[in-house]
C-alpha cells in the first residue's frame, strides 16, 4: 500500500506492506529513536506523536497514519535537549534505554497540561516503564522543567 | 504475531459487516490486543473512516462510537459532568495514556474480557450496546451473550439521575485489576457491578431491599455480604477465589459509603 504522511515536518511518501505497524515504518525511515521494548503494548518505549497525541507506534496500524502528521524524537531535538539537561542534573537516567519514549510522553504532557499536579504527572507517565531507576529523579526533573517553562512564559 | 494480507479501510458499516462474516477476516479496533494474536488474517477491517470515533450528546443520551479511544472517553468533560469521575477512574489505570490513545471503547466492550474495567463501569451505568445486526441490547444482556460476528457500533448511556463510584484493587498501578467494583444509585435503586473475578462482569441488584431505608455502615456491609455470596469468584496468578470474595465485600461496602458521600467511613 501507498503511505503519505508528514514526518517530523517533512512530507513523505512510500510503499509499505499491509500489516506494518507505524514503529517499523519509522525505523525504516531512519527514526532510530523509536524502539520496541516489549511485545505486549506495555512499556511505552515506542511512543511517538500522531497529530500531536502520544500513541504506541508498536500497536498503531501504519495504514491509519496515512495523511497524518507524525513526530518522533528526531523532530524535537531542541526540546529534548532542553529537558534532557534537567534529567541529567537530577541523575534521573541510568542506562537511558527508556529515554526516547519517556521524553516524547513528557513533551506530550506539557502540551496537554498547563500545571499538572504530582498525581496527574504520575498518571500521565505511568505507561512508561523504566527498569533501572525508581522514577523519583524523573519526577524531580519534570517539576523543575515545568517551573522553568512556566517562568519562561 | 499477527500477519495481515490486506488492510481495508471500509466505506460503510455494511461493508464491514459483510467482510466480518468470514472467519479469516478481522476487525481492527486499536489493535493493542489483536496484535498479540498468533494468527494470519486475510483482510483487516478498519472502521476508522466511519465517524465512529466521537461521543455525541443528545437530549436523552450520550452515544459513544465504537472507535472512540479509551482516553477520549476518560477525558470527555460532558460525560464527567453527567456521570462524575467514575468512568475516568475505571480507565486511568489501563496501561498508560499512549495505550489509551490507541485502544478503543468498542473493542473493550465487545470482548467482554474477564478483567474488564470498562465493562464493569459501563454496566453500573445501565449502558446499552448498539450492534449492527441485532440492534440495541442492554449491556447487561450483552455481557452474557456468546461471541458472534456482529459489529458493535455504539455504546449508549441514557441520561438519568445516577451516581456511580468505581474502585479497583491492583497489585501495581497499571496491572490488570485483581477485582473491579462499580456501585451506582440509579432511578431504580442501588446496584453493584463486580468484574475481574476473573469472569465477565456481573450486576447485583438490591432485590432484598437491604438498602431501601438508606445506606448506613450496617446496611452497606449487609449488601456487600449479599453481593459477595451472589457471585462466583475464580483463582488466577493475581489472586485466589477466596481473596477476591473477601475483596468484594470490602470494595462494595466502601463504594456504597462513598456513594453516600461518606468516603472517610471505611468499613
Ligand atoms: C497489556 C494490556 C493490558 C490491558 N489492561 C487492561 C486493564 O487493566 N483493564 C481493562 O479493562 N482492559 C485492559 N486491557 C484491554 C484493553 O483495554 C482493550 O480492551 C484491548 O486492548 C482491546 O482494545 P483494542 O481497541 O486494542 O482492540 P483490538 O485489539 O483492535 O481488537 C480486539 C478484538 O475486538 C474485535 N473488535 C474490535 N472492534 C470491534 C467492534 N466495534 N465490534 C466487534 N468487534 C470488534 C477485534 O476484531 C478483535 O477481535 C489491556 C490490554 C493490553 C494489551
Ligand atoms: S514497544 Fe512496548 S509499548 Fe510499544
Ligand atoms: S534508565 Fe534504564 S530503563 Fe530507564
Amino acid at each position: 500500500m501507498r503511505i503519505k504522511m508528514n514526518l517530523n515536518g517533512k512530507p513523505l511518501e512510500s510503499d509499505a506492506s499491509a500489516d506494518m505497524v507505524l514503529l517499523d515504518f519509522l525505523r525504516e525511515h531512519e527514526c532510530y529513536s523509536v524502539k520496541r521494548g516489549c511485545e505486549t503494548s506495555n512499556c511505552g518505549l515506542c511512543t511517538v506523536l500522531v497529530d500531536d497525541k502520544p500513541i504506541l507506534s508498536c500497536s498503531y496500524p501504519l495504514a491509519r497514519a496515512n495523511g497524518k502528521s507524525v513526530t518522533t524524537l528526531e523532530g524535537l531535538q531542541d526540546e529534548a535537549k532542553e529537558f534532557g539537561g534537567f534529567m541529567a542534573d537530577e541523575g534521573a537516567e541510568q542506562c537511558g534505554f527508556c529515554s526516547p519514549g519517556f521524553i516524547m510522553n513528557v513533551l506530550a504532557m506539557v502540551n496537554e497540561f498547563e500545571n499538572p499536579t504530582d498525581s496527574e504527572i504520575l498518571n500521565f507517565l505511568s505507561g512508561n516503564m523504566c527498569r533501572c531507576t525508581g522514577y523519583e529523579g524523573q519526577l524531580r526533573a519534570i517539576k523543575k522543567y515545568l517551573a522553568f517553562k512556566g517562568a519562561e512564559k | 504475531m499477527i500477519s495481515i494480507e490486506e488492510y481495508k479501510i471500509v466505506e460503510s458499516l455494511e461493508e464491514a459487516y459483510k467482510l466480518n462474516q468470514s472467519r479469516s477476516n478481522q476487525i481492527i479496533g486499536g489493535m493493542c490486543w489483536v496484535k498479540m494474536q498468533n494468527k494470519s488474517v486475510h483482510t483487516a477491517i478498519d472502521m476508522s473512516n466511519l465517524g465512529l470515533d466521537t461521543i455525541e450528546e443528545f437530549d436523552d443520551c450520550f452515544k459513544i462510537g465504537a472507535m472512540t479511544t479509551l482516553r477520549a472517553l476518560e477525558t470527555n468533560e460532558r460525560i464527567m459532568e453527567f456521570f462524575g469521575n467514575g468512568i475516568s477512574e475505571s480507565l486511568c489505570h489501563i496501561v498508560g495514556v499512549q495505550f489509551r490513545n490507541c485502544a478503543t471503547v468498542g473493542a473493550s466492550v465487545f470482548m467482554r474480557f474477564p478483567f474488564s474495567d470498562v465493562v464493569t463501569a459501563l454496566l453500573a451505568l445501565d449502558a446499552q450496546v448498539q450492534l449492527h445486526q441485532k440492534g440495541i441490547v442492554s449491556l447487561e444482556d450483552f455481557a452474557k451473550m456468546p461471541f458472534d460476528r456482529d459489529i458493535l457500533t455504539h455504546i449508549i448511556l441514557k441520561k438519568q439521575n445516577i451516581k456511580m463510584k468505581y474502585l479497583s484493587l491492583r497489585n501495581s498501578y497499571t496491572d490488570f485489576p485483581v477485582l473491579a467494583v462499580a456501585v451506582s444509585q440509579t432511578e431504580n435503586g442501588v446496584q453493584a457491578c463486580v468484574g475481574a473475578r476473573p469472569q465477565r462482569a456481573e450486576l447485583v441488584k438490591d432485590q432484598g431491599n437491604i438498602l431501601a431505608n438508606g445506606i448506613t455502615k450496617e446496611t452497606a456491609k449487609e449488601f456487600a455480604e449479599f453481593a459477595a455470596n451472589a457471585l462466583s469468584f475464580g483463582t488466577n496468578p493475581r489472586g485466589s477465589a477466596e481473596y477476591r470474595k473477601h475483596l468484594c465485600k470490602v470494595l462494595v461496602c466502601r463504594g456504597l459509603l462513598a456513594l453516600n458521600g461518606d468516603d472517610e467511613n471505611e468499613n
Side-chain angles (χ1 to χ4, degrees), chain B residues 193-221:
Chain B
C193 183
V194 187
R197 305 194 320 279
Q199 292 159 22
R200 286 188 182 185
E202 252 182 87
L203 271 179
V204 181
K205 296 183 181 167
D206 185 17
Q207 282 148 341
N209 291 322
I210 298 171
L211 301 165
N213 292 323
I215 299 171
T216 64
K217 265 187 179 175
E218 290 70 34
T219 58
K221 211 168 169 180

Side-chain angles (χ1 to χ4, degrees), chain A residues 10 45 127:
Chain A
K10 296 192 197 89
L45 183 54

Side-chain angles (χ1 to χ4, degrees), chain A residues 52-114:
Chain A
D52 293 331
K53 281 209 179 102
I55 55 98
L56 299 177
S57 62
C58 69
S59 307
Y60 197 87
L62 175 62
R64 221 172 261 174
N66 201 19
K68 298 205 166 111
S69 142
V70 179
T71 312
T72 70
L73 198 63
E74 283 79 1
L76 292 174
Q77 283 301 299
D78 294 343
E79 294 83 345
K81 212 167 167 184
E82 188 177 53
F83 175 64
F86 285 84
M87 291 277 282
D89 288 349
E90 294 303 325
E93 225 168 47
Q94 290 185 29
C95 79
F97 191 64
C98 62
S99 282
F102 181 73
I103 294 176
M104 287 309 287
N105 210 28
V106 168
L107 297 176
M109 175 181 74
V110 173
N111 273 341
E112 209 170 307
F113 284 89
E114 185 92 0

Side-chain angles (χ1 to χ4, degrees), chain B residues 126-145:
Chain B
D126 292 341
Q128 293 172 310
V129 163
Q130 188 162 352
L131 300 161
H132 179 65
Q133 207 251 326
K134 281 186 279 300
I136 296 176
V137 295
S138 72
L139 177 57
E140 194 179 359
D141 289 339
F142 184 68
K144 295 179 190 136
M145 279 157 59

Side-chain angles (χ1 to χ4, degrees), chain B residues 5-6 8 15-28 37 39-45 149:
Chain B
E5 214 161 296
E6 199 185 328
K8 183 86 184 124
E15 183 187 1
Y17 181 78
K18 277 200 183 125
L19 283 171
N20 198 39
Q21 297 319 297
S22 159
R23 291 181 64 86
S24 53
N25 300 341
Q26 186 160 24
I27 296 175
I28 303 288
Q37 292 177 336
K39 181 172 170 184
S40 67
V41 170
H42 184 271
T43 303
I45 308 162
R149 304 202 70 85

Side-chain angles (χ1 to χ4, degrees), chain A residues 18-19 21 39-42 44 47 53-56 58-61 63-64 105 112-113 123-124 126-129, chain B residues 3-7 9 28-32 35-36 46 48 67 71 92 95-102 173-174:
Chain A
D19 57 357
V21 290
E39 296 291 335
T40 54
S41 323
N42 232 320
T47 303
K53 281 209 179 102
I55 55 98
L56 299 177
C58 69
S59 307
Y60 197 87
R64 221 172 261 174
N105 210 28
E112 209 170 307
F113 284 89
N123 183 270
F124 205 95
S126 64
N128 288 87
M129 305 281 142
Chain B
S3 73
I4 296 170
E5 214 161 296
E6 199 185 328
Y7 194 96
I9 298 179
I28 303 288
M31 205 174 177
C32 301
K35 75 151 198 173
M36 294 192 293
D46 181 321
S48 60
M67 294 296 288
R71 180 75 180 159
C92 73
V95 190
V97 166
Q98 309 96 302
F99 179 92
R100 301 197 295 280
N101 271 332
C102 297
Y173 192 81
T174 57

Side-chain angles (χ1 to χ4, degrees), chain B residues 224-237:
Chain B
E225 189 88 26
F226 167 72
N229 288 325
L231 295 165
S232 59
F233 298 86
T235 296
N236 71 357

Side-chain angles (χ1 to χ4, degrees), chain A residues 42-44 83 102 105-106 109-110 113 115-130 133-143 146, chain B residues 71 74 89 91-100 172-175:
Chain A
N42 232 320
C43 71
F83 175 64
F102 181 73
N105 210 28
V106 168
M109 175 181 74
V110 173
F113 284 89
N115 239 326
T117 62
D118 279 15
S119 78
E120 279 168 339
I121 295 173
L122 292 174
N123 183 270
F124 205 95
L125 299 173
S126 64
N128 288 87
M129 305 281 142
C130 172
T133 73
Y135 303 106
E136 292 293 330
Q138 281 94 328
L139 186 60
R140 284 197 306 272
I142 288 167
K143 282 163 71 170
L146 285 169
Chain B
R71 180 75 180 159
E74 172 189 355
E89 180 53 37
L91 300 174
C92 73
H93 293 279
I94 302 177
V95 190
V97 166
Q98 309 96 302
F99 179 92
R100 301 197 295 280
S172 70
Y173 192 81
T174 57
D175 195 10

